[in-house]
Each structure stands twice: as C-alpha cells, then as structure tokens.
Amino acid sequence: MSPALSASEQAYLRVKEMILEGDLPAGDMITEGQISEELSLSRTPIREAFLRLEAEGWLKLFPKRGALVVPIQPNEMEQVFEARQLIETHAVRVVSQDAALTTALSRALTDVIAQMTTALADKDVEAFSSLDTEFHLTIVLAAENDILSDVYRGLRERLRRMTTRSVWHDQSRMERIIADHTELTRIIVDRDADGYSARLLEHMIAAHSTPAQRAFRFPTSGRARPGDWPS
C-alpha cells in the first residue's frame, strides 16, 4: 500500500480487498473497532471507508451495530456472466470492423497469454489471476468506451468475490483458461463476434464455477446461451 495514499483511501482499498478475497465473508457483521484494530488504523478512516463501500453496494450499515457484508444475491453469478458477455461481445464487434484494430488487439492478447503461460509454469497464482483479468479488460478497452469499461471493472470485482481461491490453485483449470483464451483470440482474429459471444459464456462457466454449480445452475447442452440459464 503506497504511503502517499490517505488513511481513508488505504482503509477503503484494504477493506474492499478483504471482501473480495473472502476474508470478510458475505453475511458477516463487522464493526469499525474490529477493522480499526485489524488494520492498525483509526476509526475515522474506517468509518469513511464503510460509507464508501455502502454506496458501492458491498456493505449495509446499521447505526450502533456495525456493517453487514452484503450477501451474494441469488443468480448473481448468472447475471454477471450475462452482463460481461454483452459488454465483451460489443467490444469485439466494434474492433472487428477495423482490420488494424483487430490485429493490434490479437497481438496484445497473445502477449498476455504468453505471460499467463509463464505464470502457470512459475506457479504464480496471484500473477495468473491478475493476467486473466488483464486479458478480458484488454478486449473491453479496445472498444474505447470509458463508461462500459468502468462498468466492466465492477463486474469483474463481483465475479472475483464469487470465485473461490481454490479455483486458481487448480492447475488443470488454469491450463484450460489458457486454452480458452487462445481460442477466444483466434475467434477475434476471425472477426466473429457471434462466435466469440457463445464461446465466452462457455469459458466463464468453466473457469468460474464448480462442477456442482455447472450441473445444477448451468444445465446446458451444446453451445451455452443466456436463455439456457434456469430462472
């Protein structure tokens, strides 16, 4: 954490990280005093961080009682998948209209995949996770729509909280992610936005859900589509 950041900003970033990493599980009640002691910060920046996190939907404040870590909502994973699919597909459709943009994006994605392969070989889970985010964000940023890019970052944070840490410690799953990214890049080179949309959804389901979730929450056959999701 950079010492140049204010105490309030440090508190915000650290509490949010604890929520995203699951150190503060959904449904838990926390207090300013508890977090103040844990982070070795005074209560004032913690209070400011709590207010900011409530505005973003991560916490629900209860006067004189503390804050509730907002539980993950039913079907939230499916909704995040659908929203990500829409934004990424739009970005691919925009880029595919320009051959030069398509070439530049494919080169950038190939470079990220090479770095992911290195991270896997080094068993650097943190770097691998960061590069996975970079791969998909690179696609969204290529469309040069700042508003959609900001929305997309929020979706990635929600998905990160729903994905258990164990996902990234499963080497076979990490290898599958690299293979999927390679195929998604090929589809972008082919300038096939519809093909990208279908393949992306399959990739997200495989990468960010457990076998049980895939069996009971995503009972698809063939190419996955949003309409296949259970209501």
Side-chain angles (χ1 to χ4, degrees):
M1 192 72 65
S2 170
L5 295 176
S6 67
S8 176
E9 185 71 13
Q10 289 185 48
Y12 164 77
L13 292 173
R14 292 173 71 177
V15 174
K16 187 173 187 177
E17 184 70 14
M18 293 166 74
I19 294 172
L20 296 178
E21 284 293 314
D23 296 323
L24 295 176
D28 272 17
M29 286 291 295
I30 58 177
T31 66
E32 293 176 8
Q34 168 195 342
I35 301 301
S36 173
E37 182 176 349
E38 187 165 347
L39 300 184
S40 299
L41 293 170
S42 68
R43 291 198 180 195
T44 298
I46 301 298
R47 184 176 305 114
E48 293 171 350
F50 277 18
L51 289 170
R52 187 172 169 184
L53 290 165
E54 181 181 44
E56 293 180 0
W58 300 107
L59 296 178
K60 173 65 175 176
L61 303 187
F62 294 91
K64 300 182 180 179
R65 291 178 54 194
L68 173 73
V69 180
V70 174
I72 296 170
Q73 301 302 306
N75 298 325
E76 185 172 345
M77 182 177 285
E78 291 93 326
Q79 292 170 10
V80 169
F81 283 178
E82 184 173 11
R84 282 190 59 198
Q85 183 187 32
L86 290 170
I87 293 175
E88 285 196 42
T89 300
H90 169 75
V92 171
R93 203 175 301 281
V94 170
V95 172
S96 68
Q97 296 173 11
D98 187 307
L101 286 178
T102 300
T103 299
L105 176 58
S106 66
R107 287 175 177 169
L109 296 177
T110 299
D111 181 60
V112 175
I113 292 170
Q115 295 178 62
M116 293 182 75
T117 302
T118 299
L120 174 60
D122 294 341
K123 298 182 178 180
D124 190 338
V125 176
E126 184 176 351
F128 188 93
S129 178
S130 176
L131 288 164
D132 173 68
T133 297
E134 181 179 343
F135 178 89
H136 292 280
L137 185 58
T138 296
I139 295 170
V140 175
L141 292 175
E144 299 184 340
N145 185 314
D146 293 340
I147 293 176
L148 287 180
S149 296
D150 288 343
V151 171
Y152 187 84
R153 290 187 179 93
L155 293 171
R156 286 293 309 183
E157 289 180 342
R158 288 185 177 276
L159 185 57
R160 178 180 170 192
R161 185 168 74 135
M162 290 182 283
T163 304
T164 61
R165 295 179 184 180
S166 61
V167 164
W168 303 110
H169 290 277
D170 180 346
Q171 181 164 328
S172 65
R173 185 173 292 205
M174 294 165 73
E175 291 169 348
R176 167 70 182 273
I177 289 170
I178 290 175
D180 284 356
H181 284 187
T182 301
E183 184 177 358
L184 289 170
T185 301
R186 178 190 61 75
I187 294 172
I188 289 172
V189 171
D190 291 342
R191 299 161 79 173
D192 180 6
D194 291 335
Y196 181 89
S197 180
R199 190 64 188 86
L200 172 65
L201 182 56
E202 293 178 339
H203 165 64
M204 289 189 294
I205 291 172
H208 296 288
S209 58
T210 66
Q213 287 172 326
R214 290 195 289 275
F216 293 102
R217 300 177 67 183
F218 306 104
T220 61
S221 58
R223 300 299 267 186
R225 305 182 304 274
D228 292 325
W229 291 336
S231 58

